Amino acid sequence: MELYENIIKLSSAAGIGEVAQVDEIIKEKLPKCAKVTVLTDGSICAKIDGKSDKTVMIEAHCDEVGFVVREVLDGGFLRLSEIGGIDDKILPSTRIKIFGKKCIQGVFCSTPPHLAKGKKTVKKIDELFVDCGTDVKNIVSVGDKAVFDIKAQIFGNRVCGKALDNRISVAIVLECAERAAKNVPENNVIFCFCKNEEVGLRGAKTAAFFSDICEAVAVDTTFGDMPQIPPYKTGKLGDGPLVGISPVLSDCVTDKLKKCAENVSVGCEVMGGNTGTDADVISVAKQGVATGLLSVPIRNMHTPVEVADLRDISAAADILTNYISGGAEK
Amino acid sequence: MMEYLKDLTQLTAPSGSEQSVRDYIINNLPKNTEYTVDALGNLIVNVKGKKRPESKVLLDAHTDEVGFIVTFVESNGLLRFATLGGIEKTAMLAKKVVFLNGVTGVICVKPVHLQSDDELNTLPENDELFIDIGAADETETKKYVNIGDTAAFFGEFKMLDENRFLSKAIDDRAGCAVLLKIINTYDEYDYTVSFSSQEEVGLRGARASAYTVNPDFAIVCEATTAADIPNISGSDTVCRLGDGVAVSYMDSATLYNRELFKMCLEIGEENNIPVQPKMLPTGGNNAGAIHLSRSGVKTVSLSLPCRYIHSSSCVADFRDIAALEKIIIRLLDRIAGNGK
């Protein structure tokens, strides 16, 4: 299925700062009839005309958490800073790809047990180094970006890989664009792939000003069920995507999304205020935009081994397709 | 050798489940080589040389790697596990593992967003760790993985430059690769090689194979910690990548035969083979079991320096492996020729 193949490709590719492998895939996969505009920060907006004058936005951020080089040391070692929230505990012996003059391999050093004196503490990224195995002073410079090095893989009904936050949503939105190209949507639709979400919802802030939109749906990931987290903070993998309910979201759009889920399983995610997603900034763009949020639950968020259920992903694509084709008004 | 190394590191063979490594070695022995597999899974190879040795020499490398064993299947389909051998928590968190049947699992970690300050600064307890194989519940999980099944790290083999490489299980598939190469190329004297099982869970296989072989001398061919990374200096580095074979004078399991230790450094110098003393008396390997076998065996450990040992991503230097092969052959020659 193309949706799943796209997830594997998008997850395995890098999309952070100026490293734009993901952008190339998005541009290639967008339907020919879409009018594509690339904004100043690299965010991609693709417009497909509909039956009415109204314009709605379907948005997914396409950046990922990763790293930036702050120091290139002798002997092939680097010091990095994180881009976005990453748990320092998982880093030792984690492999990364560094995008210098060419793409090279590195691995986070782990301190051997014999040198861990006394109680074992968590080393922060400032005290960790990346080993490239060989001198890289001619290849890597300060400011170069890096991401987890892992290929996405499907196991059972689930997919595992880095950056499923938010490449599964990118794949879902691409799938919706593909379907909208074949079946003229109710309203004009801007399919929007925004940058810099992981560093503060920045891409969506400017992208929401790009066109006169009256309504928007942000597609993102949320926490999946894990024994370490209370159930009320999570969505169960396989039980469907979650429609966001929050004072910052539009009840009207939320209701439409629920209505559009007629044939597929869907849950709710209730938040007391900001959602922590691009919906927060899209909703206050210009004169204000009625915004909804659809989330797919994933486990191990912001690690190289995020896990999502393929059925939740398909269901999210179906709900959004229904929404785009005016399913809520019927 | 590179081919052996690549193939062997990528086999899944945690302690107690070493069959795939054993089979690979057997398939790559020269024709008509005599071998036995004992009750513990040790593969003992008797190499017939041109000459009879003055002393009986045993070469040892272990076939197992650190790994995981399933202790319980939760109703939600997640697996509880124990480790086979010493694995740091940070080396496990958010890493992939592979079961013997090829099923992939990932070790779960609570999302950083939901961790308290305390949690961010401490490592999770064992009962907070689970392996996820992508199954929806206990029934689905049990179709693929059950209690007692074992897994090892997933960690592909990659060259970092023309000498340095990255892989899981360099400890001790590097040793296996070196000894397999020697079996295929060296036949001056008779000697015996034990590809020993269960080293990581307490030097168990070698205890039995040393008894069976009953050698006068033993050469343990290993991989050892190299901590030659930033902010670590002097003997804390243990040994350095690219500086040659690490020769042990002491570790937590063995006080090595002083004569053999010196002989190795000497052979290195005389033959221009890079060697370095393993500077910190840490770790332990099959020498601990072998030197105490029967009424005692003169034993030496020759090791490949290896960074991030017991993880999915160890780094080592091919030049050190080449040196390891050379020095073992010289040492074998010398001991078998005029030993005792």
Side-chain angles (χ1 to χ4, degrees):
Chain A
M1 193 169 165
E2 205 191 353
L3 174 58
Y4 300 162
E5 282 165 23
N6 285 347
I7 290 168
I8 301 289
K9 271 188 203 148
L10 286 160
S11 163
S12 307
I16 187 166
E18 68 286 354
V19 182
Q21 292 176 338
V22 165
D23 306 37
E24 297 312 311
I25 301 174
I26 292 171
K27 286 178 202 160
E28 180 203 318
K29 299 282 176 189
L30 277 167
K32 298 285 166 284
C33 66
K35 286 185 284 258
V36 177
T37 311
V38 177
L39 306 182
T40 43
D41 70 346
S43 295
I44 298 169
C45 293
K47 191 174 183 187
I48 293 182
D49 293 330
K51 295 172 192 157
S52 80
D53 296 337
K54 265 175 67 176
T55 304
V56 300
M57 175 189 266
I58 307 290
E59 189 268 355
H61 75 84
C62 61
D63 61 323
E64 69 191 285
V65 296
F67 309 90
V68 58
V69 176
R70 59 190 253 201
E71 214 174 329
V72 184
L73 303 161
D74 291 333
F77 292 98
L78 308 173
R79 274 178 93 190
L80 307 181
S81 288
E82 284 149 351
I83 296 177
I86 296 176
D87 186 353
D88 299 299
K89 285 195 285 295
I90 70 157
L91 294 179
S93 77
T94 292
R95 298 182 187 196
I96 60 169
K97 284 190 283 195
I98 305 126
F99 293 86
K101 282 182 191 149
K102 58 179 186 176
C103 176
I104 60 161
Q105 176 95 53
V107 57
F108 275 96
C109 299
S110 59
T111 313
H114 70 269
L115 294 175
K117 294 177 183 91
K119 197 171 177 292
K120 287 183 183 171
T121 52
V122 175
K123 280 205 167 185
K124 296 292 161 192
I125 193 159
D126 313 15
E127 313 161 79
L128 288 169
F129 296 88
V130 164
D131 184 354
C132 302
T134 183
D135 197 88
V136 289
K137 287 201 165 145
N138 294 324
I139 303 168
V140 178
S141 27
V142 171
D144 286 345
K145 308 297 187 293
V147 298
F148 293 127
D149 176 28
I150 194 157
K151 280 193 209 101
Q153 119 181 52
I154 287 175
F155 56 168
N157 285 310
R158 293 185 175 169
V159 58
C160 169
K162 75 167 177 72
L164 296 186
D165 171 13
N166 192 29
R167 301 291 155 66
I168 55 181
S169 306
V170 171
I172 289 166
V173 175
L174 281 172
E175 177 72 18
C176 292
E178 185 67 35
R179 294 181 196 174
K182 288 177 186 148
N183 187 2
V184 183
E186 199 59 25
N187 305 305
N188 304 319
V189 188
I190 294 178
F191 298 94
C192 191
F193 307 90
C194 291
K195 301 274 179 166
N196 296 327
E197 191 266 0
E198 298 293 0
V199 286
L201 320 179
R202 293 178 195 158
K205 200 171 277 178
T206 46
F209 277 77
F210 163 67
S211 182
D212 282 320
I213 49 173
C214 59
E215 219 170 279
V217 178
V219 193
D220 209 330
T221 56
T222 188
F223 306 115
D225 61 315
M226 299 177 70
Q228 303 90 332
I229 322 173
Y232 64 85
K233 285 186 178 167
T234 68
K236 193 167 181 321
L237 264 64
D239 278 5
L242 304 168
V243 176
I245 298 174
S246 151
V248 309
L249 298 172
S250 153
D251 286 346
C252 169
V253 181
T254 301
D255 286 343
K256 282 185 188 176
L257 287 173
K258 283 192 209 161
K259 204 175 160 199
C260 288
E262 50 193 3
N263 293 320
V264 293
S265 164
V266 70
C268 288
E269 178 186 24
V270 182
M271 292 148 286
N274 280 343
T275 65
T277 71
D278 282 340
D280 297 347
V281 295
I282 296 169
S283 55
V284 291
K286 289 193 178 175
Q287 68 272 47
V289 179
T291 306
L293 172 64
L294 188 64
S295 302
V296 176
I298 65 170
R299 287 178 178 158
N300 314 320
M301 192 184 280
H302 289 192
T303 73
V305 292
E306 295 174 339
V307 174
D309 195 297
L310 295 169
R311 293 162 296 192
D312 298 337
I313 295 167
S314 294
D318 291 344
I319 294 168
L320 284 172
T321 303
N322 203 358
Y323 168 82
I324 290 165
S325 60
E329 277 89 23
K330 280 164 197 160
Chain B
M1 172 90 86
M2 185 71 94
E3 220 37 51
Y4 289 157
L5 186 68
K6 259 192 213 170
D7 293 346
L8 283 164
T9 57
Q10 292 306 300
L11 296 172
T12 304
S15 306
S17 313
E18 301 92 352
Q19 182 157 358
S20 56
V21 171
R22 213 156 51 223
D23 289 348
Y24 179 90
I25 295 169
I26 291 170
N27 288 332
N28 285 282
L29 290 175
K31 264 190 190 142
N32 305 321
T33 306
E34 183 197 313
Y35 68 85
T36 54
V37 177
D38 73 9
L40 295 190
N42 296 306
L43 167 62
I44 300 171
V45 180
N46 288 308
V47 181
K48 201 82 188 139
K50 293 174 200 147
K51 290 176 264 182
R52 307 291 81 78
E54 296 280 325
S55 310
K56 187 167 191 188
V57 185
L58 168 67
L59 304 182
D60 175 279
H62 67 89
T63 47
D64 61 322
E65 66 189 292
V66 295
F68 309 89
I69 185 163
V70 175
T71 55
F72 191 73
V73 184
E74 293 281 334
S75 59
N76 57 16
L78 297 179
L79 303 163
R80 290 187 181 272
F81 62 93
T83 58
L84 301 169
I87 306 176
E88 291 286 291
K89 288 235 176 75
T90 53
M92 297 185 220
L93 295 174
K95 306 300 187 298
K96 267 194 200 182
V97 303
V98 184
F99 286 87
L100 290 194
N101 61 0
V103 168
T104 298
V106 304
I107 298 179
C108 298
V109 50
K110 185 173 178 176
V112 63
H113 322 62
L114 299 178
Q115 291 184 34
S116 66
D117 284 353
D118 257 7
E119 287 174 314
L120 284 173
N121 291 308
T122 49
L123 295 169
E125 298 296 327
N126 284 335
D127 61 8
E128 296 170 279
L129 295 178
F130 298 90
I131 296 173
D132 181 355
I133 63 160
D137 54 31
E138 185 182 349
T139 317
E140 197 185 338
T141 292
K142 284 181 168 173
K143 281 186 211 159
Y144 303 100
V145 177
N146 281 283
I147 287 183
D149 287 353
T150 58
F153 279 120
F154 169 85
E156 287 173 300
F157 184 99
K158 280 187 181 165
M159 294 302 297
L160 296 172
D161 66 4
E162 63 273 24
N163 295 307
R164 297 272 164 98
F165 60 95
L166 177 66
S167 177
K168 75 164 183 79
I170 292 175
D171 172 14
D172 185 25
R173 303 295 157 66
C176 293
V178 167
L179 296 189
L180 183 56
K181 170 86 186 299
I182 289 174
I183 292 173
N184 275 284
T185 51
Y186 177 86
D187 65 348
E188 283 305 307
Y189 294 95
D190 297 345
Y191 58 98
T192 302
V193 181
S194 173
F195 295 99
S196 307
S197 64
Q198 301 181 29
E199 191 267 358
E200 300 292 359
V201 289
L203 324 179
R204 305 177 69 86
R207 198 185 300 189
S209 63
Y211 176 86
T212 306
V213 176
N214 193 14
D216 302 310
F217 286 87
I219 304 170
V220 173
C221 184
E222 257 285 12
T224 194
T225 302
D228 56 333
I229 57 178
N231 290 354
I232 296 176
S233 59
S235 58
D236 279 348
T237 61
V238 187
C239 56
R240 309 186 71 87
L241 260 63
D243 280 4
V245 177
V247 187
S248 306
Y249 56 84
M250 171 182 164
D251 57 36
S252 57
T254 312
L255 252 173
Y256 288 89
N257 182 285
R258 188 75 182 151
E259 200 185 329
L260 282 176
F261 170 75
K262 283 186 176 164
M263 192 190 291
C264 290
L265 297 182
E266 229 173 73
I267 291 174
E269 196 166 337
E270 282 166 14
N271 297 283
N272 230 346
I273 305 167
V275 288
Q276 55 184 325
K278 177 179 167 180
M279 287 183 281
L280 209 62
T282 179
N285 59 41
N286 276 342
I290 297 168
H291 85 288
L292 297 178
S293 182
R294 298 201 189 213
S295 53
V297 179
K298 288 185 176 175
T299 305
V300 65
S301 277
L302 298 172
S303 301
L304 171 75
C306 176
R307 291 178 186 157
Y308 328 123
I309 204 162
H310 291 195
S311 83
S312 54
S313 301
C314 315
V315 176
D317 193 307
F318 202 74
R319 289 168 294 195
D320 297 331
I321 295 192
L324 188 54
E325 182 195 354
K326 281 187 200 149
I327 195 161
I328 289 173
I329 289 174
R330 297 280 178 176
L331 185 61
L332 190 52
D333 247 350
R334 189 174 295 192
I335 299 173
N338 60 9
K340 272 188 186 169

